[in-house]
Amino acid sequence: MICFVLFLLLGDVLMFINTRFFVLLPWFLIYLFLLKGVYKTANCKALEAKDFLCTLLFTIVSAALLSFLNISMSLHTYAYLYLMSFISLLVYIDDIRFKSLM
């Protein structure tokens, strides 16, 4: 969660996104809660195909939410949204994976 907030702040400072993107924070928390049920088993794989698919699903739904709220987006904004979602979700998912190996 902190990683996602930091990427939102960095994107705002670098002017990739505007402050209206912070509406994604509640959606990100709900998505993390839903992902906890998907990633239950422990393994040592750092990346899986479902990581990319979960990130793509989050990005598509987030982009739909932003377009519903009439927030303009460009290709750079989509790419930054996918990047910050991928890194933030991967930090969370890997924490679940490797913590359950102990």
Side-chain angles (χ1 to χ4, degrees):
M1 175 65 187
I2 293 173
C3 187
F4 190 73
V5 172
L6 289 176
F7 272 113
L8 280 175
L9 290 172
L10 180 67
D12 190 31
V13 168
L14 296 177
M15 297 180 155
F16 287 122
I17 59 175
N18 58 18
T19 54
R20 295 180 68 194
F21 269 66
F22 283 91
V23 75
L24 294 176
L25 283 175
W27 162 234
F28 187 72
L29 284 174
I30 293 169
Y31 197 70
L32 288 182
F33 181 72
L34 294 174
L35 276 182
K36 197 167 219 165
V38 175
Y39 291 95
K40 288 183 180 178
T41 59
N43 60 19
C44 293
K45 296 178 187 175
L47 285 175
E48 293 180 351
K50 66 180 175 179
D51 299 340
F52 295 102
L53 294 175
C54 288
T55 305
L56 185 63
L57 177 69
F58 177 79
T59 306
I60 289 171
V61 173
S62 297
L65 175 68
L66 292 172
S67 69
F68 177 73
L69 296 173
N70 293 327
I71 299 173
S72 62
M73 295 182 66
S74 65
L75 182 61
H76 297 99
T77 311
Y78 284 114
Y80 188 74
L81 180 62
Y82 185 83
L83 174 74
M84 71 179 191
S85 303
F86 180 72
I87 293 173
S88 301
L89 287 174
L90 205 61
V91 166
Y92 178 74
I93 291 167
D94 285 343
D95 184 50
I96 292 173
R97 279 186 191 141
F98 299 133
K99 192 179 287 185
S100 58
L101 285 175
M102 294 177 152

